[in-house]
């Protein structure tokens, strides 16, 4: 934790106390009804709320037992410590004490010996709390007690009432007996006693003479001691210090001198320790310190120090030597220092309140003297100083260092709002009170400094900060107000009444075209999507010389009204989190402008808005920038970011989803426990626009960071990087949280604010993604961590290489791997590896020509391999082995150990593909590469992915080199391909030759039969019956004499299943097997009965094996069968639409010979291509459904046949434009910025044909849409109809669409390239 603001201290005389208990420095104070216990400037130990009272009155700490007592009204609460030895120090309520007198009010507390507690009210009451809690002594007072304090040996009590000038000293006459007795005398003062202080011994057990210091309203400090033990008085006046005479300014040109004086006592024990620590600090510096010599000379006399201050920057320090000696000498009181220009935190005026100063010094070597300055306007300042610098008589600019400032609210925090830069905050409570905080950065760290206090009688509905917190706009139910918050108390400058149709939902600061202009505009939007804009004149920009201008400076006026529409089913409207963005925008308003507001409906539709103020026309122009249909019904909470991210919480407040609003895609979904309800969402971003989300729960905050997209491993796009729990600090639930611009998170709980450090301890699961050497400390700045988890990848990263392979950049892949091998040959520990491997950037942007198998054979001829250089130009198996050997013993700085393993896998796969390059095309190479990678990773993680994805299946499906792929897959499984292997490789999905398909299926049947020693015919029944080879199955049953089902099965199989009787018998057996959950065998009997559809349904529904269902249908009736067509149309395609699986959809459409739709499925939503689509699942909107490899397949397929060209022509040019730009953004999010740049630089749009003849009704030739290679297009369109069969006007009704290819620069500008 960077800092803590524990709450506003009470303006009470005993609101704070400090002490040393068992080596632990404790500072306790009361704030509202909370007891705050601290162990240091930024170390909050515990907060205890007394919910049954409204305000606490006093607090006291027992340095012997560690007990803490608080009081309110007639109730006293005693808390005792526990858990210190276990390292978890806490306090719990020991007992509650009550005063006997009804309606009596306690005002002061003090601990004595043996855990006795003195309570001051209208009487003095002494309670025993050690064993049985009981009142053991009570005396009625003339006036209610103002002070009542034990001396440190508990033999004396000093008490006085309000406005009393007589201090009463009580002397205890008996200890340890049931009969507790005191006698008393008076210490007369000429004026009201305003403060007292008992001298503290070096140790609690030390026996010293009691000395009492009193301060009276006559501005004198009096020292009382027992100088005459036989006198009538218990204490006698030993000396007095006149505070007015102590400070006499040396300049006489001042017209009026202030009479305000403040004084505090530094006990001898603290002064001597502080001097010793100063000596140690100076010794380490090795410099001469004349001021230290003076302080050492003073400390040798073991004096108490009386420090007197005024509000003019003067300080006078007096040494009190041998206090209490019977014969006082004149030299016993001596001046230590007189200083001018002393900057001490005192109130600016007398009305600001009272100030109390507490001091202590730690025994830890080098510790400074600590001053706790309690301002009665609600602040405690922790100030540190070295005594030699504090009492240095020579001029010094800086004597004190502000270590911490404790302040806050005295009521629970309801809401925290920040400005756009995150440099100012306003926190407010339900009591319509707000505090404005300024974010301060210094060498000691981040601080929140209280700037102003705002209080109003009207209900504060919404707030908005202006100009780094100097001004605040508050929205009420019927008016809006402007406040000046530059002073300690906010001043209302102007107010304006308003009327709005509907309830005001938000207050938005509108962006201006110029940050420094004089006019600021704020807007509210109501529940009926109608709004009002107000104009606020910037007061700091106007000269105050003119009264007319000054009145204009403090004005807030209605500027205009507007109506956004879209009011149906509206749930809420709120401003987006600025995430560090500027309030100024360009003069244009378009979809690229920064979002300023978001609205969401009960149906889960998100709308994002931007606005621009037109000063000439006097209105505000609004634009809907994006719409996201989430499908989440009745969302309970939402939050948007200016970085185009949105978080949405479901109705039960336990489901969190994160969306990319630019691409309208889901990036993250998580379901939390039912008792862990989400109540707050806050966005911020790194300087390079990487997003971070804080998810607030009742007692914890979860920080989520975006990650790079990973399509090859289907990795998560978001991950938790930190969890903040406040249960150990406060029992109160979190009210709100907000980000500072620096990356610190401010959490408000109860009446306290916690400022958490931006340095995070990275979870072990994310350490590999940071690409840090293992010996480095994994505690980093949150912005650096998130930037390392995102951003561009080095070109030798396995994800970049894999995407290059999918893009067809094989030459570049070989160049990268060869370059990396060359680099690692001479690599030494500590060397840096160039992220580009010194490859020119232009080489990444060259369009890769598709090389045919024949031309590749020519290139790979023995003569082509000849080179004068010893370095290889392609990745051979020998080079791969050499590189992987280097990777095994070398740690590359930019890669984690897991990424190096994946890189070695890719290198091995590329070498394998290169070995077979002469006999395979690009798509076969893509399939083989990722199939080999899957096999290698399955060996490393056997419980990983079950099989390859439909992406690899589609690559192999469109390959012309399937024979070698079948052979390589079979070799991979040592020729014993079982169905689980076939499903893993997807072989029956991508094989197009039905004869080879059936031969391979029969091989599966044989392998299934022989996979066990007993050779069970049941294992292969489904496969042989799918092949319609019942006779083979009969022969296998004949040899299965060991099987108890042999006889009955043989008798059944001997019958003719063309007859209805035996079909029925087979069906009965099938249903019986379904009841026994023998699904595969049941499907075999459905096939035996000739019921292919039911067999396929069993495989699809009961076995949940889509591939088996499709394979059986293909083998049994071919690719044109009705069952396969029905399976694809009724099961596969709807499932693809529900899941958003474009790879499966394009494969299914191609199998149905709907190749136009196969192309459109790569871009258009799948459910728009189906007749009766189901509503897609939430996962269908995931970013994983928009694989950037789809753009490679689209480019390949669209010019393959006339059908695919026809399908491509049905895609609107703007949709294709959006498809390309979206994929460029996906590449960018993956860390493959170079591929994004290559895509937008080299993409060729289809040429839309121009219609030249009005009477020409023939459809245009799709081949004219291609810019090249039109002769290679396969003509697969159905033949033209005769003229009398054609319907007039079918082709002529649609106007021609003309699309001009955009300029490349406009494409690049959209992504900041």
């Amino acid at each position: 934790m960077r800092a803590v603001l524990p709450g506003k201290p009470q303006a009470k005389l005993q609101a704070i106390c400090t002490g040393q208990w068992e080596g632990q420095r404790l500072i306790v104070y009361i704030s509202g009804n909370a007891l705050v216990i601290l162990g240091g400037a930024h170390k909050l130990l515990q907060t205890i709320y007394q919910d049954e009272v409204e305000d606490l009155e006093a607090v006291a700490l027992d340095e012997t037992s560690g007990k803490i007592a608080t009081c309110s009204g007639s109730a006293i609460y005693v808390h005792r410590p526990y858990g210190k030895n276990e390292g978890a120090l806490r306090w719990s309520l020991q007992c509650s004490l009550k005063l006997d007198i009804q309606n009596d009010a306690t005002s002061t507390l003090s601990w004595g010996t043996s855990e006795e507690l003195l309570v001051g009210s209208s009487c003095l009451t002494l309670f025993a709390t050690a064993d049985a809690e009981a009142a053991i002594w009570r005396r009625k007072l003339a006036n209610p007690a103002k002070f009542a304090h034990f001396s440190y040996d508990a033999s004396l009590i000093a008490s006085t009432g309000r406005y009393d000038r007589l201090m009463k000293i009580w002397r205890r006459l008996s200890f340890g007996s049931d009969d507790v007795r005191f006698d008393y005398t008076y210490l007369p003062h000429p004026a009201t006693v305003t403060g007292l202080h008992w001298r503290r011994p070096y140790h609690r057990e030390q026996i010293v003479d009691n000395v009492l210091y009193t301060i009276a309203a006559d501005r004198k400090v009096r020292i009382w001691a027992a100088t005459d033990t036989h006198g009538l008085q218990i204490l006698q006046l030993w000396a007095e210090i006149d505070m007015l005479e102590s400070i006499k300014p040396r300049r006489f040109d001042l017209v009026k001198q202030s009479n305000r004086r403040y004084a505090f006592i530094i006990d001898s024990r603290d002064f001597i320790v502080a001097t010793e620590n100063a000596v140690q600090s100076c010794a380490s510096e090795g410099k001469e310190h004349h001021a230290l010599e003076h302080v050492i000379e003073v400390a040798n006399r073991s004096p108490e120090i009386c420090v007197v201050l005024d509000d003019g920057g003067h300080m006078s320090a007096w040494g009190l030597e041998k206090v209490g000696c019977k014969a006082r000498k004149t030299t016993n009181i001596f001046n230590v220092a007189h200083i001018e220009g002393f900057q001490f935190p005192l109130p600016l005026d007398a009305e600001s309140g009272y100030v109390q100063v507490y001091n202590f010094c730690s025994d830890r070597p080098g510790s400074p003297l600590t001053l706790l300055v309690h301002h009665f306007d609600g602040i405690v300042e922790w100030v540190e100083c070295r005594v030699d610098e504090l009492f240095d008589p020579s001029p010094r600019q800086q004597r004190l260092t502000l270590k911490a400032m404790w302040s806050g609210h005295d009521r629970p925090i309801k809401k925290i709002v920040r400005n756009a830069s995150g440099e100012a905050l306003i926190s407010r409570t339900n009591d319509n009170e707000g505090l404005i905080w300024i974010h301060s950065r210094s060498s000691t760290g981040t601080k929140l400094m209280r700037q102003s206090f705002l209080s109003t009688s009207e209900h504060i509905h919404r707030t908005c900060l202006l100009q780094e917190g100097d001004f605040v706009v508050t929205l009420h139910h019927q008016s809006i107000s402007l406040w000046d918050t530059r002073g300690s108390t906010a001043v209302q400058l102007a107010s304006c009444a308003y009327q709005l149709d509907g309830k005001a939902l938000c207050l938005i600061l509108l962006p201006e075209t110029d940050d420094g202009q004089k006019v600021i505009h704020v807007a509210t939007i109501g529940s009926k999507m109608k709004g009002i804009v107000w104009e606020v004149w910037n007061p700091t920009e106007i000269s105050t010389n003119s009264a007319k201008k000054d009145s204009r400076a403090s004005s807030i006026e209605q500027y205009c009204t507007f109506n956004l529409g879209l009011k149906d089913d509206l749930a809420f409207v709120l401003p987006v989190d600025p995430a560090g963005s500027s309030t100024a925008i360009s003069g244009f308003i378009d979809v690229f402008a920064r979002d300023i507001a978001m609205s969401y409906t009960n149906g889960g539709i998100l709308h994002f808005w931007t606005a621009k103020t037109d000063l000439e026309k006097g209105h505000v122009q609004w634009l809907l920038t994006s719409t996201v249909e989430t499908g989440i019904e009745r969302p309970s909470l939402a939050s948007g970011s200016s970085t185009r991210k949105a978080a949405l919480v479901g109705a039960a407040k336990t489901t969190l989803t994160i969306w990319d609003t630019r691409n309208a895609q889901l990036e993250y979904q998580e379901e939390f426990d039912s008792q862990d309800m989400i109540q707050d969402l806050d966005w911020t971003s790194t300087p390079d626009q990487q997003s971070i989300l804080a998810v607030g729960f009742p007692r914890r905050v979860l920080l989520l960071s975006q990650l790079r997209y990973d399509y090859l491993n289907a990795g998560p796009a978001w991950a938790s990087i930190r969890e903040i729990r406040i249960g150990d600090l406060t029992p109160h639930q979190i009210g709100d949280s907000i980000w500072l611009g620096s990356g610190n998170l401010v959490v408000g709980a109860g009446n306290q604010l916690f400022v958490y450090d931006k340095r995070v301890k990275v979870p072990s699961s994310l350490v590999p993604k940071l690409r840090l050497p293992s010996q480095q400390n994994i505690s980093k700045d949150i912005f650096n961590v998130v930037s390392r988890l995102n951003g561009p990848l080095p070109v030798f990263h396995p994800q970049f290489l894999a995407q290059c392979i999918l893009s067809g950049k094989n030459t570049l892949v070989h160049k990268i791997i060869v370059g990396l091998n060359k680099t690692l040959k001479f690599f030494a520990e500590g060397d840096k590896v160039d992220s580009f491997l010194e490859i020119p950037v232009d080489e990444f942007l060259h369009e890769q020509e598709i090389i045919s198998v024949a031309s590749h054979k020519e290139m790979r001829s023995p003569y082509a391999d000849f080179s004068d250089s010893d370095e290889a130009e392609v990745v051979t198996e020998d080079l791969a082995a050499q590189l992987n050997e280097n990777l095994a013993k070398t740690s590359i700085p930019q890669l984690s150990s897991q990424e190096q393993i994946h890189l070695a896998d890719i290198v091995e796969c590329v070498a394998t593909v290169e070995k077979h390059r002469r006999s395979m095309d690009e798509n076969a190479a893509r399939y083989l590469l990722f199939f080999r990678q899957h096999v290698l990773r399955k060996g490393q993680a056997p419980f990983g992915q079950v099989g390859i994805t439909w992406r690899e299946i589609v690559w192999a499906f469109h390959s012309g080199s399937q024979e070698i792929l079948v052979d390589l897959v079979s070799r991979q499984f040592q020729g014993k391909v079982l169905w689980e292997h076939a499903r893993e490789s997807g072989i029956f999905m991508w094989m197009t030759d039905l004869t080879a398909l059936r031969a391979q299926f029969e091989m599966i049947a044989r392998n299934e039969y022989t996979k066990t020693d007993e050779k069970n015919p049941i294992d292969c029944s489904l496969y042989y019956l799918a092949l319609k080879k019942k006779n083979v199955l009969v022969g296998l049953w004949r040899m299965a004499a060991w099987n108890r089902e042999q006889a009955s099965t043989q008798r059944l199989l001997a019958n003719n299943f063309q007859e209805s009787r035996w079909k029925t018998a087979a069906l009965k057996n099938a249903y019986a097997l379904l009841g026994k959950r023998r699904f595969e065998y049941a499907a075999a009997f459905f096939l035996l009965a000739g019921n292919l559809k039911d067999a396929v349904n069993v495989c699809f529904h009961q076995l949940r094996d889509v591939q088996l269902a499709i394979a059986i249908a293909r083998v049994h009736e071919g690719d044109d069968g009705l069952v396969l067509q029905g399976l694809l149309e009724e099961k596969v395609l709807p499932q693809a639409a529900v899941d958003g699986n474009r790879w499966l959809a394009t494969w299914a459409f191609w199998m149905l010979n709907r190749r136009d739709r196969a192309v459109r499925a790569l871009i258009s939503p799948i459910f728009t291509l189906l007749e009766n689509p189901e509503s897609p699942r939430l996962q269908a909107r995931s970013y994983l459904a928009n694989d950037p490899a789809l753009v490679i397949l689209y480019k390949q397929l669209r010019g393959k046949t006339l059908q695919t060209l026809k399908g491509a022509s049905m895609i609107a040019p703007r949709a294709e434009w959006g498809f390309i730009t979206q994929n460029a953004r996906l590449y960018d999010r993956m860390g493959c910025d170079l591929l994004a740049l290559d895509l937008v630089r080299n993409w060729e749009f289809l040429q839309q044909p121009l219609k030249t003849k009005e009477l020409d009704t023939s459809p245009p030739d799709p081949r004219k849409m291609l810019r090249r290679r039109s002769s290679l297009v396969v003509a697969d369109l159905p033949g033209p109809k005769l003229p009398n069969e054609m319907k007039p006007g079918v082709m002529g009704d649609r106007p021609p669409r003309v699309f001009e290819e955009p300029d490349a620069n406009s494409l690049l500008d959209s992504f900041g390239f």
Side-chain angles (χ1 to χ4, degrees), residues 612-623:
K612 176 180 177 291
T613 306
D614 192 333
L615 298 177
E616 295 181 357
K617 297 181 179 180
H619 73 92
V620 175
Q621 182 181 357
W622 291 83
L623 176 66

Side-chain angles (χ1 to χ4, degrees), residues 987-988 991 993-1002 1114-1115:
I987 188 171
F988 290 100
M991 286 183 69
D993 186 348
L994 279 177
T995 303
L997 182 81
R998 291 190 174 103
Q1000 192 68 29
F1001 203 75
E1002 187 170 1
R1114 295 187 68 188
V1115 168

Side-chain angles (χ1 to χ4, degrees), residues 178 368 791 1023:
D178 295 336
Y1023 305 97

Side-chain angles (χ1 to χ4, degrees), residues 459 553 620 657 1162 1168 1299:
H459 173 72
V620 175
T657 55
L1162 300 175
T1168 62
F1299 177 71

